[in-house]
Amino acid sequence: MKASDRAYASLREDIVEWRLPPGTVLGEVEQSERLGVSRTPLREALARLTAEGLASAQRGRGVVVSDISLAHIDELFELREALEAKAAALAALRGDRARFAGLRDRFAAASTLLHDDDPQRHQYYALAAELDAAIDDSIANAYLTQSLEGLRVHLTRVRRLAKDDAARLRLAASEHAAIAGAIADGNAHLAAAATAVHLSNSLQHIKNTHPLP
């Protein structure tokens, strides 16, 4: 892996997982030493992060981790509903129904994944990622898949604002089960509607639990 790719991957993960929270200055000297790369590949990595919207250049401060505001979240969810509802509908028309039936059943039993020895809910989010992957595989639309991939990195950051709340995740699991079930039944309208309900509830939960400026 190229030094710039390695630096980019490390910084991206640290930003997404909030090890580098919004407002953190990504100083070239400090980050070069921390990541064990020279300043040239680091600059390339910072440019990629800036292009993705995960970092931004600020006068007098250099490159910093981008902030997350309420306005940004509203805009993000507007785009998310447009893309994900369409993707769910296409998956209902084109997907492997047995695969989604299996995911529906696993989400129905997802409360077993929400235990205290996994405070970051890695097992639950892995299951959610499986649903995303199943939808991506089903829609047969490279442009839509690429757009969803670009969106999800920001959604992972936003997810942390919900503090991985177990009660909310139990409700989210039932919502995911409804989405997977609608796709398994080949009902495109219901799949899109279930996706819209899930996203509306997710957005409201974030606003209620983590007020932002």
Side-chain angles (χ1 to χ4, degrees), residues 90-178:
L90 289 175
L93 298 174
R94 303 171 180 172
D96 180 344
R97 294 189 178 188
R99 182 178 184 183
F100 286 99
L103 286 165
R104 175 198 60 207
D105 295 343
R106 291 170 64 193
F107 273 111
S111 61
T112 60
L113 304 178
L114 303 173
H115 42 74
D116 292 338
D117 59 351
D118 183 20
Q120 300 301 314
R121 316 302 182 194
H122 291 300
Q123 294 183 61
Y124 175 82
Y125 290 124
L127 178 58
E130 284 190 48
L131 178 59
D132 288 340
I135 291 173
D136 289 350
D137 291 344
S138 301
I139 60 180
N141 185 319
Y143 297 104
L144 181 52
T145 299
Q146 185 177 19
S147 296
L148 286 167
E149 288 175 353
L151 179 66
R152 283 173 186 147
V153 64
H154 297 283
L155 294 176
T156 303
R157 291 183 78 201
V158 170
R159 187 185 75 196
R160 296 301 184 194
L161 295 177
K163 302 184 184 299
D164 302 312
D165 180 79
R168 168 57 200 152
L169 291 181
R170 290 188 185 93
L171 291 174
S174 67
E175 293 161 8
H176 279 126

Side-chain angles (χ1 to χ4, degrees), residues 46-109:
L46 293 177
R48 290 176 64 183
L49 293 167
T50 300
E52 284 189 343
L54 294 176
S56 60
Q58 293 187 2
R59 181 175 298 178
R61 299 187 71 197
V63 178
V64 303
V65 177
S66 297
D67 196 9
I68 296 178
S69 69
L70 185 57
H72 290 159
I73 290 178
D74 282 333
E75 292 169 3
L76 185 65
F77 271 75
E78 287 174 0
L79 177 59
R80 187 182 181 187
E81 181 174 348
L83 296 179
E84 293 193 10
K86 182 61 176 180
L90 289 175
L93 298 174
R94 303 171 180 172
D96 180 344
R97 294 189 178 188
R99 182 178 184 183
F100 286 99
L103 286 165
R104 175 198 60 207
D105 295 343
R106 291 170 64 193
F107 273 111

